[in-house]
Amino acid sequence: MSRTEDQIAALRRAVTGDHTPSSDFDLNPETVLPPDRKLRPAGVLAAFLPGRDGLELLLTKRSSRLKHHPGQIAFPGGKVDPVDDGPTDAALREAREEVGPPGSAVEIIGTTAPHETVTGFLVTPVF
């Protein structure tokens, strides 16, 4: 098996495992979150592309002119819009808008548990 095939197999195992939801607040257990808070669903695409030495993770750099999270390194993705059929669809739509991967080149292998952010999003990582 090649290095890339080994890496793809490892990713497949990772998304089929048991996943516990996480939060930006995990490191601050004293934080009390309101039980009635409204979280906005979102999806991000953890896209891996063939590279010289195996798979390479695709990341974006947000414009320094943006109002929210300027200059941050990020996964392509964003909030679930009414046109989306959930976080996976949102991640794919946003990735097409941000980095333009061709639809035929994308193979979704799964998702992991959502992550709650301090900005009020419930982000589902899509692999």
Side-chain angles (χ1 to χ4, degrees), residues 22-107:
S22 60
S23 168
D24 285 351
F25 303 101
D26 288 349
L27 296 177
N28 298 302
E30 70 281 356
T31 301
V32 177
L33 299 171
D36 59 345
R37 67 193 180 281
K38 300 277 192 252
L39 298 174
R40 295 170 288 182
V44 293
L45 185 64
F48 292 87
L49 306 170
R52 197 173 74 207
D53 297 318
L55 296 177
E56 295 179 355
L57 179 61
L58 175 67
L59 297 170
T60 63
K61 182 176 181 188
R62 295 176 55 84
S63 169
S64 59
R65 294 187 176 116
L66 292 173
K67 180 180 176 183
H68 300 290
H69 313 290
Q72 286 186 350
I73 303 299
F75 292 106
K79 68 180 175 69
V80 175
D81 285 345
V83 298
D84 298 322
D85 186 21
T88 297
D89 203 35
L92 290 171
R93 177 186 50 75
E94 289 276 355
R96 280 190 296 274
E97 292 173 7
E98 295 171 17
V99 296
S104 62
V106 176
E107 176 190 353

Side-chain angles (χ1 to χ4, degrees), residues 41-46 78 80 86-88 91 110-115 121-127:
V44 293
L45 185 64
V80 175
T88 297
T111 61
T112 57
H115 178 84
F121 286 95
L122 189 61
V123 180
T124 298
V126 178
F127 292 80

